[in-house]
Amino acid sequence: RDHGHFDINGVVDANSDKMERRHPHVFGDAVAATADDVARQWEAQKRKEKADRGLFDGIPRALPATSKATTVIWRAVSAGHAGPGGVEPLAAARAALDVLGAPGPERDAAIGEALLCLVDLARSLEVDPTTALEAATARYAAAVPAAK
């Protein structure tokens, strides 16, 4: 406020206005039957507000890979695009792995595609891939005998 940029009242008003715009099912007359409907409406409103930005703008570069993949896929699917595995993410992951015998870059790309499809599979099953991977890693580590 001292430098003329903003004051607490302006911050409160801006945040209140944004909450009302992005939650018309609470503050307006929009209907959202499911949590997915709420999320789709919220993303649609955000896109309207940020029309000059791309679909993937604002995703932090420093996000862990599974979190970034989940965010990218979720935004794409929310905007009406198919996930990287189409309607069958597990089949797409298997197909990506069919080229494992290929040389370095092709093999690396195939592994990446398979991992992306598995993240999509987790999303479609409402499983957080980071949490699932952390739990699986812990189970694996616990099962490996300690070195002497």
Side-chain angles (χ1 to χ4, degrees):
R1 183 181 67 200
D2 292 346
H3 294 93
H5 298 295
F6 60 87
D7 65 15
I8 191 65
N9 292 330
V11 171
V12 169
D13 289 344
N15 282 323
S16 176
D17 290 346
K18 182 164 61 171
M19 289 293 287
E20 288 181 24
R21 278 193 318 273
R22 292 192 182 172
H23 297 86
H25 61 285
V26 175
F27 301 104
D29 57 4
V31 176
T34 67
D36 283 344
D37 289 343
V38 171
R40 275 191 283 280
Q41 288 177 8
W42 186 74
E43 281 297 323
Q45 181 59 36
K46 270 184 28 180
R47 278 193 301 280
K48 274 193 241 175
E49 292 172 14
K50 299 176 182 187
D52 59 332
R53 296 176 66 184
L55 184 60
F56 305 121
D57 287 347
I59 298 174
R61 290 182 182 198
L63 273 180
T66 54
S67 297
K68 187 182 293 185
T70 301
T71 301
V72 166
I73 293 167
W74 193 88
R75 285 189 184 185
V77 169
S78 294
H81 301 283
V87 295
E88 292 292 334
L90 187 56
R94 287 184 179 131
L97 291 174
D98 283 344
V99 296
L100 284 181
E106 291 175 20
R107 183 187 60 222
D108 293 356
I111 292 290
E113 291 297 323
L115 289 169
L116 188 63
C117 290
L118 289 174
V119 169
D120 188 31
L121 176 64
R123 177 204 58 83
S124 71
L125 297 172
E126 298 181 5
V127 172
D128 176 60
T130 301
T131 303
L133 181 57
E134 287 172 349
T137 302
R139 286 190 304 274
Y140 172 74
V144 173
K148 291 185 180 186

